[in-house]
Amino acid sequence: EDVDPKWLREAELKHGRVCMVATVGFFSQQYITFPGFEPSPDALQAVYVAPPGAMAALLFLAGYIESASYGGKITMLDMFE
């Protein structure tokens, strides 16, 4: 009763989209390499061979996209105002 159904619906959609993008990324990294990253023969080890600066840039970009997609409103209390 404490959780807004709109929040749950939005979270379910967001998680589904993230899972789809992660699946595509997992398979495509065998063939595509971003600048600054070394190709890895094993997709599961790719995160360990990435330079820390490049990994930080990817995490910052993901956080920025997440924050900007809702205009900075990322909590259940203010998202649907």
Side-chain angles (χ1 to χ4, degrees), residues 26-77:
F26 179 76
F27 290 109
S28 66
Q29 70 182 345
Q30 294 294 322
Y31 308 106
I32 301 169
T33 304
F34 288 129
F37 290 88
E38 296 178 19
S40 174
D42 182 8
L44 295 174
Q45 298 297 321
V47 71
Y48 300 115
V49 298
M55 206 58 191
L58 285 177
L59 288 174
F60 176 77
L61 179 64
Y64 176 76
I65 291 170
E66 180 72 20
S67 176
S69 65
Y70 295 107
K73 297 179 178 182
I74 58 173
T75 66
M76 181 173 57
L77 300 175

